[in-house]
Amino acid sequence: GIQVEQSPPDLILQEGANSTLRCNFSDSVNNLQWFHQNPWGQLINLFYIPSGTKQNGRLSATTVATERYSLLYISSSQTTDSGVYFCAVRPSSSGGYQKVTFGTGTKLQVIP
Amino acid sequence: EAQVTQNPRYLITVTGKKLTVTCSQNMNHEYMSWYRQDPGLGLRQIYYSMNVEVTDKGDVPEGYKVSRKEKRNFPLILESPSPNQTSLYFCASSLDVQETQYFGPGTRLLVL
């Protein structure tokens, strides 16, 4: 099946700093989402971004489907950004396009 | 309010005692899915459903059953729970297979 790797696995930032999180996938996809899991365990949608670039406030995301990666940018980080960030993909292949595979996650800690 | 609800939120049970975790969505979504989250393994898909009476296995279906008799409900059944099914379980739904997934609050299950 498709492999999804995220980097870095852990990240500590000073409040106000910027960061880039990466999601690499091993096969072509037609669906990619970014999620934030807050310290209470809740999974929150950030972006649905199978291709192109989107922005929402201090967050933006870019997916280059032809090169099989996606980037999540966090600018002017705040302590409330702490948690784990996941990407999740659905492959384009006819045999498994209904399945969803999550990446390994990036654990972010923003310190005051 | 559009949402995905799960019940119970927390459950402690014993090996072999059948249990059901309910999942319901009020957004008229066709696609529903169950995931488990374990430390070091991330989120893995258990089962998914493309529509009423259409279900299929995800990556870790062993020991679980599901049913989709109505569009809004997608219960997860553990007929004979074992300690290795201790986990955090999430239900999710989306308008269709290609759209944004929305997650429930999670169910923490401990099997003794």
Side-chain angles (χ1 to χ4, degrees):
Chain A
I2 192 169
Q3 304 298 313
V4 184
E5 293 187 357
Q6 293 183 239
S7 60
D10 296 279
L11 185 59
I12 299 175
L13 293 177
Q14 200 78 38
E15 198 169 24
N18 302 329
S19 64
T20 301
L21 282 57
R22 187 176 180 103
C23 171
N24 290 333
F25 38 94
S26 62
D27 204 347
S28 59
V29 301
N30 55 19
N31 183 318
L32 188 146
Q33 279 188 262
W34 282 97
F35 295 92
H36 173 217
Q37 187 170 37
N38 64 23
W40 296 271
Q42 187 180 10
L43 280 162
I44 301 161
N45 292 298
L46 297 177
F47 294 102
Y48 170 77
I49 187 165
S51 63
T53 297
K54 289 186 178 180
Q55 180 156 9
N56 184 4
R58 295 181 297 104
L59 302 182
S60 64
T62 294
T63 297
V64 184
T66 53
E67 297 188 21
R68 299 183 183 172
Y69 73 88
S70 183
L71 302 174
L72 178 69
Y73 306 96
I74 304 174
S75 64
S76 304
S77 59
Q78 301 175 357
T79 55
T80 52
D81 295 332
S82 296
V84 183
Y85 289 81
F86 292 102
C87 63
V89 303
R90 284 197 179 102
S92 303
S93 60
S94 60
Y97 77 97
Q98 308 96 328
K99 290 187 181 181
V100 175
T101 299
F102 273 75
T104 48
T106 292
K107 185 173 183 180
L108 173 64
Q109 184 180 359
V110 181
I111 55 178
Chain B
E1 180 189 353
Q3 59 183 349
V4 180
T5 57
Q6 295 179 226
N7 282 292
R9 296 289 312 282
Y10 305 91
L11 180 59
I12 301 175
T13 189
V14 296
T15 299
K17 186 175 181 182
K18 182 179 178 179
L19 67 91
T20 299
V21 184
T22 65
C23 172
S24 184
Q25 50 90 8
N26 62 1
M27 297 172 278
N28 201 36
H29 284 174
E30 291 189 348
Y31 186 93
M32 297 186 74
S33 185
W34 277 102
Y35 299 86
R36 61 177 290 174
Q37 185 176 21
D38 303 289
L41 296 175
L43 285 106
R44 295 175 292 168
Q45 195 172 34
I46 304 171
Y47 269 95
Y48 60 91
S49 169
M50 300 282 283
N51 212 327
V52 175
E53 302 291 2
V54 181
T55 63
D56 208 346
K57 297 176 181 178
D59 290 324
V60 287
E62 296 79 17
Y64 304 95
K65 284 177 60 175
V66 293
S67 69
R68 186 93 181 271
K69 293 183 170 57
E70 307 165 278
K71 200 170 188 179
R72 64 182 293 130
N73 296 323
F74 190 44
L76 180 69
I77 303 156
L78 286 73
E79 297 220 324
S80 184
S82 62
N84 65 13
Q85 292 178 297
T86 292
S87 188
L88 175 59
Y89 290 87
F90 287 100
C91 179
S93 74
S94 58
L95 192 59
D96 64 37
V97 67
Q98 297 301 348
E99 295 295 326
T100 302
Q101 282 194 96
Y102 296 91
F103 279 77
T107 296
R108 290 192 181 273
L109 172 66
L110 172 61
V111 183
L112 300 172

